[in-house]
Amino acid sequence: MRTLYLECAMGAAGDMLTAALLSLVDDVPGFVAGLNALGLPGVSIEAAEKEQYGITGLHMHVRINGEEEHEHFHKHVHEHDHENEKHHHQEHEHFDMDSIRAIIDALPVSDKVKSDIHEVYTIIANAEAKVHGKPVELVHFHEVGAMDAVADVAAVCLLMERLGADKICASPVHLGSGTVRCAHGVLPVPTPATAEILKGVPCYGGDVSGELCTPTGAALLKHFAGEYGPMPVMRVEKIGVGIGTKDFGRCNCLRAFIGETESSSDTVLQLSCNVDDMTGEALGYAMEKLFEAGAADAFFTPIYMKKNRPAYMLTCICPEAKEEDVTRAIFRHTSTLGLRRTVCRRSVLERKEYTAVTSLGNVRVKCSEGYGVKRVKPEFDDVKKIAGEKDLGVAEVYERLAREINNG
């Protein structure tokens, strides 16, 4: 399985992610030329080699009307008292979310990339809205910061499409520590927006003083990374290095590894028991409770017990960590007096779910792959909905979706 692993030992920023992923493509100048041809207002993008503490990688220069975001901030930092802030707002254009959406909709990119850009920027906007206590539609982004973020997000989404990884995972995210000066003043690290975005994501502080993970970097990781942890066992084909702007006394880089991983295997428990004195309704209710308790799968098998009594054998598969919860649920919701336990080693196909844009509408697609096998199947609930709305047969919807999804 083609796997992309992002090492975020020095956090993540949009430009660092762009540079690391760009290092993995064959035609860097051609890809950068394509980015500059997107027509983002006032945006120019340049990739340059950079060495920091003995490590060489790519560094991105994203300029808005000839000015990079960090240059703009230092140039105007003195304007953030009350009177100068008023002047600052008059002199420089601001964008609301409707303006940002219009810019994204106009980009000459695929529907999938456009959807990814929208979703990532929405993560950023929702976080900003929450920390500032206002609706998303009332959040305004400064011209330089807004276009810098859109450029980074668009670049990363296009690179993800180009690389075509089946699985994207990342290390826990290093946030940095201390404080950082921004347009709103001096804020703690991580900034409130970054902290909001990274809810549920493994992350940590450290001895590096400064902001290592930006809201844009956090949103890109939140959208694309399916899991976090150590680097998986993989045969690495290429390594990309993206070097940031700041010097923290060590190499400020994000590394991207792409290669092949084997399909995974794990250990599960198989719990089983015989039941001969429960109604069908009670058995159905018991199964619902087993799934709520953490069962991965459960099923009934018709059997005959002593004296030829018809009965059912309940088989329940669960992770080892859920053994106690599932065992309690079996004893509570069935009439069994005993339970059998078997440890099973299983091989599994890697599974993921994504939304495909088709001529019949957006459809959730389940994809499983491994051991030389790849299966793609539209979510039945979406197929059923389309069949009803379009007055089509389910088989016809499946056939049309299969053609579009497989060709896409």
Side-chain angles (χ1 to χ4, degrees):
M1 173 174 290
R2 192 159 182 78
T3 299
L4 174 66
Y5 181 75
L6 303 172
E7 181 192 75
C8 306
M10 288 298 287
D15 61 334
M16 292 169 68
L17 277 165
T18 301
L21 297 177
L22 184 60
S23 303
L24 301 175
V25 307
D26 293 329
D27 181 13
V28 171
F31 194 91
V32 172
L35 293 177
N36 284 312
L38 291 177
L40 289 169
V43 175
S44 65
I45 300 173
E46 176 190 352
E49 281 197 1
K50 181 175 180 178
E51 180 181 342
Q52 194 176 65
Y53 295 93
I55 297 178
T56 300
L58 284 184
H59 175 71
M60 304 305 298
H61 295 281
V62 180
R63 298 183 176 89
I64 316 300
N65 300 323
E67 193 173 48
E68 293 193 56
E69 185 179 21
H70 67 278
E71 296 172 341
H72 170 87
F73 172 74
H74 288 299
K75 180 178 177 181
H76 296 283
V77 69
H78 65 281
E79 296 181 354
H80 289 286
D81 58 47
H82 178 73
E83 292 299 322
N84 284 330
E85 179 71 12
K86 179 180 177 182
H87 167 74
H88 187 57
H89 278 254
Q90 292 172 343
E91 182 182 0
H92 298 281
E93 186 176 358
H94 285 68
F95 292 88
D96 59 17
M97 273 304 294
D98 285 341
S99 302
I100 297 293
R101 292 187 187 110
I103 290 170
I104 296 171
D105 286 335
L107 294 176
V109 297
S110 70
D111 288 339
K112 178 64 171 65
V113 170
K114 200 171 291 186
S115 175
D116 284 335
I117 299 171
H118 273 298
E119 289 180 26
V120 173
Y121 216 96
T122 298
I123 292 173
I124 299 172
N126 286 340
E128 294 286 355
K130 184 165 185 178
V131 300
H132 293 303
K134 60 177 66 175
V136 170
E137 303 308 323
L138 295 183
V139 174
H140 286 76
F141 302 90
H142 184 272
E143 177 186 18
V144 174
M147 286 300 97
D148 183 86
V150 171
D152 288 338
V153 171
V156 170
C157 292
L158 282 164
L159 284 161
M160 288 295 190
E161 181 184 53
R162 169 74 69 89
L163 294 170
D166 300 308
K167 179 179 180 180
I168 301 169
C169 45
S171 69
V173 185
H174 190 177
L175 303 176
S177 63
T179 60
V180 61
R181 179 179 291 277
C182 65
H184 299 287
V186 177
L187 297 178
V189 172
T191 64
T194 298
E196 180 66 28
I197 292 168
L198 289 178
K199 283 180 177 177
V201 174
C203 46
Y204 61 97
D207 61 349
V208 176
S209 180
E211 180 187 33
L212 299 185
C213 188
T214 67
T216 303
L220 287 164
L221 289 175
K222 190 70 172 283
H223 178 66
F224 283 109
E227 60 184 65
Y228 297 84
M231 186 180 192
V233 177
M234 61 189 294
R235 293 185 294 275
V236 176
E237 297 171 5
K238 289 184 177 180
I239 303 172
V241 180
I243 297 182
T245 299
K246 296 178 181 178
D247 185 343
F248 293 105
R250 64 187 72 174
C251 188
N252 180 24
C253 70
L254 184 149
R255 295 195 294 175
F257 301 79
I258 194 162
E260 294 293 325
T261 56
E262 297 294 338
S263 298
S264 61
S265 62
D266 60 8
T267 299
V268 294
L269 298 180
Q270 182 172 288
L271 307 177
S272 60
C273 63
N274 298 347
V275 180
D276 68 346
D277 54 356
M278 290 180 65
T279 66
E281 293 88 349
L283 288 171
Y285 179 75
M287 182 173 286
E288 291 178 11
K289 290 300 181 180
L290 293 179
F291 283 114
E292 289 178 11
D297 198 4
F299 54 91
F300 295 109
T301 305
I303 60 173
Y304 285 92
M305 295 177 63
K306 60 186 178 182
K307 300 182 181 180
N308 290 324
R309 293 199 304 267
Y312 291 96
M313 180 171 68
L314 165 62
T315 303
C316 183
I317 298 171
C318 70
E320 291 181 287
K322 291 293 183 178
E323 178 184 7
E324 184 175 350
D325 292 339
V326 174
T327 297
R328 288 179 181 275
I330 291 175
F331 281 119
R332 181 176 184 182
H333 297 289
T334 75
S335 59
T336 189
L337 301 177
L339 195 62
R340 299 180 293 275
R341 176 185 184 275
T342 305
V343 179
C344 302
R345 184 74 177 171
R346 67 173 183 173
S347 298
V348 296
L349 299 181
E350 294 285 348
R351 285 161 285 186
K352 65 179 180 179
E353 184 174 313
Y354 64 93
T355 300
V357 180
T358 76
S359 61
L360 296 176
N362 291 349
V363 179
R364 288 171 294 167
V365 178
K366 294 178 178 178
C367 180
S368 55
E369 185 174 11
Y371 300 96
V373 174
K374 183 174 183 179
R375 300 191 184 104
V376 178
K377 183 180 179 181
E379 172 62 49
F380 178 74
D381 287 344
D382 292 354
V383 172
K384 178 182 175 182
K385 181 181 177 183
I386 290 172
E389 292 176 347
K390 306 288 186 182
D391 193 24
L392 299 170
V394 167
E396 184 179 358
V397 175
Y398 267 125
E399 183 179 351
R400 289 177 58 176
L401 291 177
R403 285 199 302 267
E404 293 190 33
I405 292 169
N406 291 331
N407 291 335

